[in-house]
Amino acid sequence: APRYFLIIIIALLIGAVFGACTWFLLFTTFSNTAVKVYEFSLFLSIMMIWAVYLCANFPGTITIDTLNQFRQAMGITEITDAHPALLTLMYRYVFKISGGPGLFTILQIALYALALTAFLSYLNKLGLSKKITSVVAILFSAHIVNGIYATVLWKDVLYTVALLWATLLFLKLSIEKKQFFSVSNIIQLSLCSAFIFLLRHNGIVVFAIILVVMAIAIIAFRSVKPLAVILTTLILVGVVKGPVYSSMDIENQSLSAPTALLHGIVYTCMESDFESELLESVVPMEVWYDMYEPYSTNSFAFSEPAIQNNINEKMNDLSTTVVVKEYLRAFANHPFLIIKDRLYGCNA
């Protein structure tokens, strides 16, 4: 009986919290409250919804990549930059504080909710009705894909937060023009750019685009303020990738094997007369065919044939440049097969 009584009390408390947050959002939406109060109600509502997803799967969904980073964060294996080392270090410090990943998931959700709140608040400032921004906040956060994604412990989530915040800043830049470059915005854009580079290896593409846009802004606005973003960002990245990683003996490893490209080459060989000496130099083609799965590249690392033939290590020994050239050769000969393989990946 005491157990059921406790469950009822907890259920009532949760209901009361949900009711209070809902009333707070409705009140701030339909009344003339201060901007900060409305922003806080949006933030609370998003956090409340994502808390349900977290409770359903505490401490959050953990990917294979993240498990490898956890092993490094706990000192079981050495920290490398094969998976972004900055995130691994974040895990390490959170583990020291809380003893597990739950606190990190909560902080991640809070950052995501903060970025979404800031974006919606700015749209409201531009004239979008509070009724619309409130509905968008609820629908976006309640959507099952976004709810699950917010609670996944994975580098992509924080990378998404950095991209979302950078997108907001570029929206401001397109509207405010030269006046955008306040000290606050310069700091925010510099931090976002650095995190975009450091949280995903392929973030270098977006990172480069941001720097190019800042270079154009120097000319377009006849101002040196965009240069402050470029210099600050490069210094941040240089310090982290240089002295910080060196002091911790973190190896700046190159990008991992481009398995998605190898995946496309294998499919092209399977479905045509295309031959690849590169693939055959690793293992016989029959092994590649046995490992191939249309919707995922994970089989190249974790399937039984992959483990038996040590494929993961052999792929990492391949030159990225050589693999890219072979992929382009396969695309030149059979473009529709390469495209079809990529579309398979979209269904994963």
Side-chain angles (χ1 to χ4, degrees):
R3 178 183 175 186
Y4 292 115
F5 179 75
L6 179 61
I7 292 174
I8 293 172
I9 294 297
I10 292 174
L12 289 173
L13 287 174
I14 293 174
V17 170
F18 267 74
C21 289
T22 302
W23 176 86
F24 187 33
L25 179 63
L26 289 172
F27 174 76
T28 57
T29 300
F30 290 98
S31 60
N32 189 24
T33 56
V35 173
K36 294 297 181 184
V37 175
Y38 177 62
E39 290 176 344
F40 185 57
S41 71
L42 282 177
F43 177 77
L44 276 184
S45 300
I46 296 168
M47 287 289 291
M48 174 188 69
I49 293 171
W50 283 346
V52 175
Y53 285 93
L54 180 58
C55 289
N57 194 29
F58 189 83
T61 304
I62 300 173
T63 69
I64 293 173
D65 289 352
T66 306
L67 286 175
N68 290 332
Q69 289 183 282
F70 281 1
R71 289 171 61 85
Q72 295 177 20
M74 292 185 290
I76 299 173
T77 58
E78 292 184 358
I79 296 181
T80 71
D81 200 30
H83 295 300
L86 178 63
L87 182 57
T88 306
L89 293 174
M90 292 179 185
Y91 288 143
R92 170 172 286 184
Y93 293 126
V94 169
F95 288 173
K96 287 181 179 180
I97 295 171
S98 63
L103 175 61
F104 192 94
T105 315
I106 294 171
L107 294 174
Q108 175 179 281
I109 290 173
L111 285 173
Y112 200 173
L114 184 64
L116 181 57
T117 299
F119 212 120
L120 291 173
S121 177
Y122 188 70
L123 293 177
N124 177 244
K125 179 182 177 182
L126 294 178
L128 193 63
S129 165
K130 286 199 292 185
K131 296 176 184 177
I132 295 176
T133 52
S134 296
V135 169
V136 170
I138 297 301
L139 292 180
F140 182 91
S141 52
H143 193 287
I144 189 169
V145 172
N146 297 322
I148 293 174
Y149 188 70
T151 59
V152 174
L153 283 163
W154 192 24
K155 58 183 179 290
D156 286 27
V157 182
L158 287 181
Y159 178 71
T160 298
V161 173
L163 283 178
L164 181 60
W165 203 283
T167 303
L168 170 60
L169 292 172
F170 272 101
L171 174 62
K172 290 183 177 181
L173 173 60
S174 68
I175 294 171
E176 299 171 10
K177 302 295 189 296
K178 189 176 180 178
Q179 285 68 40
F180 166 81
F181 291 97
S182 64
V183 174
S184 174
N185 286 338
I186 288 173
I187 293 173
Q188 290 179 57
L189 187 53
S190 299
L191 287 172
C192 283
S193 303
F195 277 120
I196 286 169
F197 181 89
L198 295 167
L199 289 174
R200 273 194 69 93
H201 292 307
N202 59 8
I204 190 173
V205 177
V206 180
F207 176 79
I209 292 173
I210 292 174
L211 296 188
V212 169
V213 171
M214 289 299 101
I216 294 172
I218 294 173
I219 300 171
F221 300 139
R222 296 180 181 179
S223 171
V224 295
K225 289 184 177 180
L227 181 61
V229 176
I230 296 175
L231 294 178
T232 306
T233 301
L234 292 175
I235 290 171
L236 287 171
V237 171
V239 168
V240 173
K241 297 281 281 188
V244 174
Y245 284 5
S246 296
S247 67
M248 298 181 174
D249 295 322
I250 297 173
E251 183 181 353
N252 280 310
Q253 293 188 352
S254 59
L255 298 180
S256 56
T259 52
L261 304 187
L262 293 170
H263 197 265
I265 299 170
V266 172
Y267 181 70
T268 304
C269 291
M270 289 174 60
E271 298 296 323
S272 70
D273 57 356
F274 185 79
E275 296 181 357
S276 174
E277 293 182 2
L278 174 65
L279 294 180
E280 291 180 353
S281 70
V282 179
V283 288
M285 292 305 300
E286 291 74 16
V287 178
W288 288 110
Y289 296 158
D290 194 23
M291 291 189 298
Y292 182 86
E293 293 179 1
Y295 304 112
S296 174
T297 61
N298 287 339
S299 58
F300 282 8
F302 305 110
S303 66
E304 188 174 338
I307 295 172
Q308 289 175 349
N309 290 275
N310 199 21
I311 295 296
N312 201 39
E313 184 175 333
K314 291 178 179 178
M315 288 193 301
N316 283 321
D317 290 336
L318 294 174
S319 165
T320 301
T321 302
V322 171
V323 175
V324 170
K325 287 181 178 179
E326 187 72 350
Y327 187 79
L328 292 175
R329 188 171 74 88
F331 180 79
N333 283 272
H334 302 281
F336 291 108
L337 291 178
I338 290 293
I339 292 171
K340 186 176 181 180
D341 175 75
R342 294 306 301 147
L343 292 176
Y344 275 147
C346 294
N347 290 326

